[in-house]
Amino acid sequence: MPTAEATRDGRRYEILDGRLLVTGPQPPAHHAAVIALLVQLKHACPPDLLVTVGSRAFRPTPTTTLRPDLMVSQRNAPVTEPPVLAVEVISPTTRTTDVVLKRTLYETHRIPSYWLLDPTTQELTLLTLTPTGYTCEAVLQAEESFKTTVPFPLTLTPGNLCG
């Protein structure tokens, strides 16, 4: 059985409490947004952190393996340590999984920052973990820009990522 990774069939496989979650192939706009954000994150990333796309999983428990669209983690961190940032790029087929299920899982497993990028609406939502759960730091539309310091200094503009 596949672990949490993209396979040649274009699907992504994750394990949630021992159950297999399969995400089908994504549209070109999804891939373009992932690549645009990857380039921006890698350009600003300090050397002690690592930006990955699908090549690294987060395994918070023996029965759970999660693979965000993008992830920023400590360079030498074990896969059981939460990444500092998880990003999901929303597509029509993943909206509920990303907005509800993944948000709950990432919050439960204490991922400090969770971003949701919707290429269809050119919207970026930045969530920050607090002692009581995720709090919305910003919701950006199209050409709006926002300067964040988490996980490192970066200016984000959804229109530049989704155009």
Side-chain angles (χ1 to χ4, degrees), residues 110-131:
R110 312 303 295 164
I111 295 177
S113 293
Y114 179 38
W115 298 353
L116 293 148
L117 177 60
D118 187 336
T120 304
T121 61
Q122 294 191 354
E123 181 177 274
L124 177 64
T125 303
L126 287 74
L127 303 171
T128 303
L129 191 64
T130 67

PDB file of all heavy atoms in Angstrom, residues 110-131:
ATOM      1  N   ARG A 110      -0.234  20.591  16.249  1.00  0.00           N
ATOM      2  CA  ARG A 110       0.526  21.773  16.669  1.00  0.00           C
ATOM      3  C   ARG A 110       1.481  22.343  15.614  1.00  0.00           C
ATOM      4  O   ARG A 110       2.599  22.739  15.904  1.00  0.00           O
ATOM      5  CB  ARG A 110       1.289  21.501  17.973  1.00  0.00           C
ATOM      6  CG  ARG A 110       0.486  20.852  19.097  1.00  0.00           C
ATOM      7  CD  ARG A 110      -0.749  21.591  19.537  1.00  0.00           C
ATOM      8  NE  ARG A 110      -0.424  22.876  20.137  1.00  0.00           N
ATOM      9  CZ  ARG A 110      -1.305  23.844  20.319  1.00  0.00           C
ATOM     10  NH1 ARG A 110      -2.557  23.696  19.960  1.00  0.00           N
ATOM     11  NH2 ARG A 110      -0.950  24.970  20.867  1.00  0.00           N
ATOM     12  N   ILE A 111       1.006  22.434  14.376  1.00  0.00           N
ATOM     13  CA  ILE A 111       1.783  23.105  13.332  1.00  0.00           C
ATOM     14  C   ILE A 111       1.566  24.609  13.516  1.00  0.00           C
ATOM     15  O   ILE A 111       0.434  25.089  13.443  1.00  0.00           O
ATOM     16  CB  ILE A 111       1.364  22.633  11.928  1.00  0.00           C
ATOM     17  CG1 ILE A 111       1.718  21.139  11.767  1.00  0.00           C
ATOM     18  CG2 ILE A 111       2.044  23.481  10.853  1.00  0.00           C
ATOM     19  CD1 ILE A 111       1.290  20.530  10.455  1.00  0.00           C
ATOM     20  N   PRO A 112       2.637  25.374  13.769  1.00  0.00           N
ATOM     21  CA  PRO A 112       2.493  26.789  14.140  1.00  0.00           C
ATOM     22  C   PRO A 112       1.791  27.676  13.115  1.00  0.00           C
ATOM     23  O   PRO A 112       1.074  28.597  13.489  1.00  0.00           O
ATOM     24  CB  PRO A 112       3.931  27.261  14.349  1.00  0.00           C
ATOM     25  CG  PRO A 112       4.714  26.024  14.606  1.00  0.00           C
ATOM     26  CD  PRO A 112       4.036  24.935  13.834  1.00  0.00           C
ATOM     27  N   SER A 113       1.995  27.418  11.820  1.00  0.00           N
ATOM     28  CA  SER A 113       1.374  28.253  10.788  1.00  0.00           C
ATOM     29  C   SER A 113       0.763  27.368   9.716  1.00  0.00           C
ATOM     30  O   SER A 113       1.375  26.393   9.276  1.00  0.00           O
ATOM     31  CB  SER A 113       2.404  29.175  10.131  1.00  0.00           C
ATOM     32  OG  SER A 113       2.873  30.127  11.047  1.00  0.00           O
ATOM     33  N   TYR A 114      -0.451  27.745   9.291  1.00  0.00           N
ATOM     34  CA  TYR A 114      -1.147  27.031   8.231  1.00  0.00           C
ATOM     35  C   TYR A 114      -1.692  28.065   7.258  1.00  0.00           C
ATOM     36  O   TYR A 114      -2.395  28.991   7.656  1.00  0.00           O
ATOM     37  CB  TYR A 114      -2.285  26.180   8.817  1.00  0.00           C
ATOM     38  CG  TYR A 114      -3.095  25.408   7.800  1.00  0.00           C
ATOM     39  CD1 TYR A 114      -2.502  24.830   6.687  1.00  0.00           C
ATOM     40  CD2 TYR A 114      -4.460  25.252   7.961  1.00  0.00           C
ATOM     41  CE1 TYR A 114      -3.250  24.114   5.767  1.00  0.00           C
ATOM     42  CE2 TYR A 114      -5.218  24.530   7.048  1.00  0.00           C
ATOM     43  CZ  TYR A 114      -4.607  23.968   5.947  1.00  0.00           C
ATOM     44  OH  TYR A 114      -5.349  23.256   5.036  1.00  0.00           O
ATOM     45  N   TRP A 115      -1.308  27.922   5.995  1.00  0.00           N
ATOM     46  CA  TRP A 115      -1.790  28.831   4.957  1.00  0.00           C
ATOM     47  C   TRP A 115      -2.656  28.060   3.979  1.00  0.00           C
ATOM     48  O   TRP A 115      -2.360  26.918   3.623  1.00  0.00           O
ATOM     49  CB  TRP A 115      -0.633  29.456   4.188  1.00  0.00           C
ATOM     50  CG  TRP A 115       0.300  30.312   4.979  1.00  0.00           C
ATOM     51  CD1 TRP A 115       0.175  30.706   6.290  1.00  0.00           C
ATOM     52  CD2 TRP A 115       1.532  30.867   4.527  1.00  0.00           C
ATOM     53  NE1 TRP A 115       1.242  31.481   6.665  1.00  0.00           N
ATOM     54  CE2 TRP A 115       2.098  31.598   5.591  1.00  0.00           C
ATOM     55  CE3 TRP A 115       2.202  30.829   3.317  1.00  0.00           C
ATOM     56  CZ2 TRP A 115       3.297  32.282   5.480  1.00  0.00           C
ATOM     57  CZ3 TRP A 115       3.412  31.500   3.203  1.00  0.00           C
ATOM     58  CH2 TRP A 115       3.950  32.228   4.273  1.00  0.00           C
ATOM     59  N   LEU A 116      -3.707  28.728   3.518  1.00  0.00           N
ATOM     60  CA  LEU A 116      -4.597  28.185   2.487  1.00  0.00           C
ATOM     61  C   LEU A 116      -4.583  29.143   1.303  1.00  0.00           C
ATOM     62  O   LEU A 116      -4.930  30.316   1.451  1.00  0.00           O
ATOM     63  CB  LEU A 116      -6.022  28.059   3.023  1.00  0.00           C
ATOM     64  CG  LEU A 116      -6.204  27.028   4.129  1.00  0.00           C
ATOM     65  CD1 LEU A 116      -7.279  27.455   5.100  1.00  0.00           C
ATOM     66  CD2 LEU A 116      -6.531  25.693   3.504  1.00  0.00           C
ATOM     67  N   LEU A 117      -4.178  28.643   0.149  1.00  0.00           N
ATOM     68  CA  LEU A 117      -4.115  29.457  -1.060  1.00  0.00           C
ATOM     69  C   LEU A 117      -5.150  28.933  -2.054  1.00  0.00           C
ATOM     70  O   LEU A 117      -5.128  27.755  -2.407  1.00  0.00           O
ATOM     71  CB  LEU A 117      -2.714  29.385  -1.670  1.00  0.00           C
ATOM     72  CG  LEU A 117      -2.496  30.137  -2.980  1.00  0.00           C
ATOM     73  CD1 LEU A 117      -2.776  31.630  -2.823  1.00  0.00           C
ATOM     74  CD2 LEU A 117      -1.076  29.898  -3.489  1.00  0.00           C
ATOM     75  N   ASP A 118      -6.050  29.800  -2.475  1.00  0.00           N
ATOM     76  CA  ASP A 118      -7.084  29.425  -3.439  1.00  0.00           C
ATOM     77  C   ASP A 118      -6.798  30.128  -4.763  1.00  0.00           C
ATOM     78  O   ASP A 118      -7.029  31.326  -4.901  1.00  0.00           O
ATOM     79  CB  ASP A 118      -8.465  29.821  -2.916  1.00  0.00           C
ATOM     80  CG  ASP A 118      -9.593  29.304  -3.781  1.00  0.00           C
ATOM     81  OD1 ASP A 118      -9.375  29.045  -4.986  1.00  0.00           O
ATOM     82  OD2 ASP A 118     -10.705  29.160  -3.259  1.00  0.00           O
ATOM     83  N   PRO A 119      -6.267  29.396  -5.744  1.00  0.00           N
ATOM     84  CA  PRO A 119      -5.942  30.036  -7.025  1.00  0.00           C
ATOM     85  C   PRO A 119      -7.169  30.505  -7.803  1.00  0.00           C
ATOM     86  O   PRO A 119      -7.077  31.449  -8.581  1.00  0.00           O
ATOM     87  CB  PRO A 119      -5.194  28.960  -7.812  1.00  0.00           C
ATOM     88  CG  PRO A 119      -5.226  27.724  -7.027  1.00  0.00           C
ATOM     89  CD  PRO A 119      -5.858  27.995  -5.705  1.00  0.00           C
ATOM     90  N   THR A 120      -8.310  29.876  -7.582  1.00  0.00           N
ATOM     91  CA  THR A 120      -9.528  30.255  -8.299  1.00  0.00           C
ATOM     92  C   THR A 120      -9.989  31.647  -7.907  1.00  0.00           C
ATOM     93  O   THR A 120     -10.346  32.466  -8.760  1.00  0.00           O
ATOM     94  CB  THR A 120     -10.654  29.233  -8.027  1.00  0.00           C
ATOM     95  OG1 THR A 120     -10.189  27.942  -8.393  1.00  0.00           O
ATOM     96  CG2 THR A 120     -11.903  29.580  -8.812  1.00  0.00           C
ATOM     97  N   THR A 121      -9.970  31.957  -6.617  1.00  0.00           N
ATOM     98  CA  THR A 121     -10.419  33.262  -6.129  1.00  0.00           C
ATOM     99  C   THR A 121      -9.257  34.211  -5.840  1.00  0.00           C
ATOM    100  O   THR A 121      -9.478  35.346  -5.431  1.00  0.00           O
ATOM    101  CB  THR A 121     -11.242  33.103  -4.834  1.00  0.00           C
ATOM    102  OG1 THR A 121     -10.411  32.497  -3.837  1.00  0.00           O
ATOM    103  CG2 THR A 121     -12.472  32.261  -5.073  1.00  0.00           C
ATOM    104  N   GLN A 122      -8.032  33.740  -6.028  1.00  0.00           N
ATOM    105  CA  GLN A 122      -6.818  34.494  -5.700  1.00  0.00           C
ATOM    106  C   GLN A 122      -6.869  34.997  -4.260  1.00  0.00           C
ATOM    107  O   GLN A 122      -6.686  36.175  -3.969  1.00  0.00           O
ATOM    108  CB  GLN A 122      -6.596  35.650  -6.678  1.00  0.00           C
ATOM    109  CG  GLN A 122      -6.301  35.189  -8.077  1.00  0.00           C
ATOM    110  CD  GLN A 122      -5.830  36.312  -8.971  1.00  0.00           C
ATOM    111  OE1 GLN A 122      -5.814  37.489  -8.604  1.00  0.00           O
ATOM    112  NE2 GLN A 122      -5.414  35.960 -10.167  1.00  0.00           N
ATOM    113  N   GLU A 123      -7.136  34.050  -3.352  1.00  0.00           N
ATOM    114  CA  GLU A 123      -7.239  34.369  -1.929  1.00  0.00           C
ATOM    115  C   GLU A 123      -6.226  33.546  -1.144  1.00  0.00           C
ATOM    116  O   GLU A 123      -6.051  32.358  -1.381  1.00  0.00           O
ATOM    117  CB  GLU A 123      -8.643  34.058  -1.434  1.00  0.00           C
ATOM    118  CG  GLU A 123      -8.858  34.391   0.037  1.00  0.00           C
ATOM    119  CD  GLU A 123     -10.280  34.125   0.457  1.00  0.00           C
ATOM    120  OE1 GLU A 123     -11.134  35.019   0.273  1.00  0.00           O
ATOM    121  OE2 GLU A 123     -10.536  33.014   0.954  1.00  0.00           O
ATOM    122  N   LEU A 124      -5.569  34.211  -0.200  1.00  0.00           N
ATOM    123  CA  LEU A 124      -4.609  33.555   0.682  1.00  0.00           C
ATOM    124  C   LEU A 124      -5.018  33.829   2.121  1.00  0.00           C
ATOM    125  O   LEU A 124      -5.167  34.975   2.523  1.00  0.00           O
ATOM    126  CB  LEU A 124      -3.191  34.081   0.436  1.00  0.00           C
ATOM    127  CG  LEU A 124      -2.086  33.536   1.336  1.00  0.00           C
ATOM    128  CD1 LEU A 124      -1.896  32.029   1.147  1.00  0.00           C
ATOM    129  CD2 LEU A 124      -0.773  34.272   1.062  1.00  0.00           C
ATOM    130  N   THR A 125      -5.207  32.746   2.886  1.00  0.00           N
ATOM    131  CA  THR A 125      -5.557  32.842   4.299  1.00  0.00           C
ATOM    132  C   THR A 125      -4.373  32.374   5.120  1.00  0.00           C
ATOM    133  O   THR A 125      -3.846  31.287   4.880  1.00  0.00           O
ATOM    134  CB  THR A 125      -6.792  31.968   4.614  1.00  0.00           C
ATOM    135  OG1 THR A 125      -7.872  32.391   3.776  1.00  0.00           O
ATOM    136  CG2 THR A 125      -7.190  32.091   6.072  1.00  0.00           C
ATOM    137  N   LEU A 126      -3.946  33.200   6.081  1.00  0.00           N
ATOM    138  CA  LEU A 126      -2.823  32.862   6.954  1.00  0.00           C
ATOM    139  C   LEU A 126      -3.354  32.627   8.357  1.00  0.00           C
ATOM    140  O   LEU A 126      -3.963  33.525   8.958  1.00  0.00           O
ATOM    141  CB  LEU A 126      -1.805  34.000   6.982  1.00  0.00           C
ATOM    142  CG  LEU A 126      -0.942  34.187   5.741  1.00  0.00           C
ATOM    143  CD1 LEU A 126      -1.721  34.800   4.603  1.00  0.00           C
ATOM    144  CD2 LEU A 126       0.274  35.014   6.060  1.00  0.00           C
ATOM    145  N   LEU A 127      -3.136  31.422   8.870  1.00  0.00           N
ATOM    146  CA  LEU A 127      -3.581  31.054  10.211  1.00  0.00           C
ATOM    147  C   LEU A 127      -2.362  30.845  11.098  1.00  0.00           C
ATOM    148  O   LEU A 127      -1.364  30.270  10.673  1.00  0.00           O
ATOM    149  CB  LEU A 127      -4.408  29.766  10.168  1.00  0.00           C
ATOM    150  CG  LEU A 127      -5.638  29.798   9.261  1.00  0.00           C
ATOM    151  CD1 LEU A 127      -6.242  28.413   9.130  1.00  0.00           C
ATOM    152  CD2 LEU A 127      -6.664  30.779   9.791  1.00  0.00           C
ATOM    153  N   THR A 128      -2.472  31.300  12.344  1.00  0.00           N
ATOM    154  CA  THR A 128      -1.395  31.168  13.322  1.00  0.00           C
ATOM    155  C   THR A 128      -1.921  30.423  14.534  1.00  0.00           C
ATOM    156  O   THR A 128      -3.007  30.732  15.037  1.00  0.00           O
ATOM    157  CB  THR A 128      -0.881  32.567  13.745  1.00  0.00           C
ATOM    158  OG1 THR A 128      -0.453  33.265  12.565  1.00  0.00           O
ATOM    159  CG2 THR A 128       0.270  32.459  14.720  1.00  0.00           C
ATOM    160  N   LEU A 129      -1.135  29.474  15.017  1.00  0.00           N
ATOM    161  CA  LEU A 129      -1.544  28.672  16.161  1.00  0.00           C
ATOM    162  C   LEU A 129      -1.396  29.461  17.455  1.00  0.00           C
ATOM    163  O   LEU A 129      -0.365  30.077  17.712  1.00  0.00           O
ATOM    164  CB  LEU A 129      -0.693  27.395  16.227  1.00  0.00           C
ATOM    165  CG  LEU A 129      -1.150  26.334  17.201  1.00  0.00           C
ATOM    166  CD1 LEU A 129      -2.520  25.786  16.823  1.00  0.00           C
ATOM    167  CD2 LEU A 129      -0.132  25.194  17.239  1.00  0.00           C
ATOM    168  N   THR A 130      -2.448  29.445  18.264  1.00  0.00           N
ATOM    169  CA  THR A 130      -2.443  30.051  19.594  1.00  0.00           C
ATOM    170  C   THR A 130      -2.738  28.924  20.590  1.00  0.00           C
ATOM    171  O   THR A 130      -3.055  27.809  20.175  1.00  0.00           O
ATOM    172  CB  THR A 130      -3.529  31.147  19.708  1.00  0.00           C
ATOM    173  OG1 THR A 130      -4.810  30.530  19.643  1.00  0.00           O
ATOM    174  CG2 THR A 130      -3.382  32.198  18.617  1.00  0.00           C
ATOM    175  N   PRO A 131      -2.681  29.190  21.880  1.00  0.00           N
ATOM    176  CA  PRO A 131      -3.000  28.139  22.851  1.00  0.00           C
ATOM    177  C   PRO A 131      -4.417  27.567  22.700  1.00  0.00           C
ATOM    178  O   PRO A 131      -4.672  26.436  23.095  1.00  0.00           O
ATOM    179  CB  PRO A 131      -2.834  28.839  24.199  1.00  0.00           C
ATOM    180  CG  PRO A 131      -1.827  29.913  23.935  1.00  0.00           C
ATOM    181  CD  PRO A 131      -2.127  30.385  22.536  1.00  0.00           C
TER     182      PRO A 131
END
